[in-house]
Structures are given as structure tokens and as C-alpha cells.
Amino acid sequence: MNPMSNTEALQWAAEADDSLARNEILTNGEIIRTVTAEDDDDDAATPVNRIKISHSEAVAALNTSLQWAEEQNFDAHEIILLRRLRVRVFELKILTAAQKKITDFFRH
């Protein structure tokens, strides 16, 4: 295996930068449609047994991701996205853990 020359490394880095620059910023709806379409393609090819992830596990994963992103000096909008996701998961956790009312157990 030959080591990459400085010229080759610089060319490779420039190509990577060009590739990143061509990526467009997607709206939330476009991201969801893209991911959903990819999931549909994947499901057709191989069935996957999905593992149920708890809200607590999701919050912990997002906390770790957020800490990592901050250490890597990600852009503010990317960090804000992770924070919003964490808040949303925490809200879901609270909603599902809400105490039931006694009337919830009686049929109307």
C-alpha cells in the first residue's frame, strides 16, 4: 500500500470539500421524505427486526451526541437541532409517563 503524496492528499481534500459544498440544506419535510423512501427500499430488500428503544435511551444517546458535536465545534444550527430533538424526546417521555386518572379505567 503506497502512502498518499501531499499533492494527492490535497486533491482528495479539495474533492471532499467540493462534494460537501454541493450538498443542499433540506427542510424537515424533505429529510423525512428522503429517509422514509430509503427505509421503504431497505424493507423490501431485507426484513429487519426493529429494536424498541426507550425514551430514556434516546435522551442519553442525544446527550452523548450533543456533547460530541459541541466538542467537534459543529455549527450552531446543527447543535440547536440536536437540542430540539432531545427536548422533543424528553417531552415524549413525560407524556408517556403521565399518571393515569381514575376515570381512565372506566368505560363510558
Side-chain angles (χ1 to χ4, degrees):
M1 184 173 200
N2 295 340
M4 197 181 292
S5 71
N6 287 342
T7 305
E8 290 171 326
L10 288 173
Q11 181 180 3
W12 180 84
E15 289 172 5
D17 287 344
D18 290 345
S19 174
L20 289 173
R22 285 192 302 272
N23 291 334
E24 60 187 67
I25 297 175
L26 301 176
T27 65
N28 290 342
E30 292 169 332
I31 292 169
I32 291 169
R33 282 191 296 278
T34 302
V35 170
T36 303
E38 289 174 0
D39 283 349
D40 291 343
D41 294 343
D42 292 344
D43 291 344
T46 56
V48 176
N49 293 333
R50 303 213 184 244
I51 298 171
K52 181 74 173 166
I53 299 171
S54 72
H55 297 306
S56 296
E57 291 172 315
V59 169
L62 286 165
N63 282 335
T64 302
S65 299
L66 183 57
Q67 181 180 356
W68 177 82
E70 289 171 344
E71 289 172 0
Q72 301 301 315
N73 296 319
F74 272 46
D75 291 338
H77 72 276
E78 295 168 321
I79 291 173
I80 290 169
L81 174 63
L82 287 172
R83 286 182 181 161
R84 286 181 182 166
L85 286 172
R86 182 180 62 180
V87 167
R88 179 69 179 121
V89 172
F90 189 72
E91 289 170 350
L92 288 171
K93 179 181 178 182
I94 290 172
L95 287 174
T96 57
Q99 184 175 358
K100 303 276 185 191
K101 298 178 204 166
I102 188 87
T103 57
D104 291 343
F105 297 100
F106 298 110
R107 293 182 188 223
H108 298 275

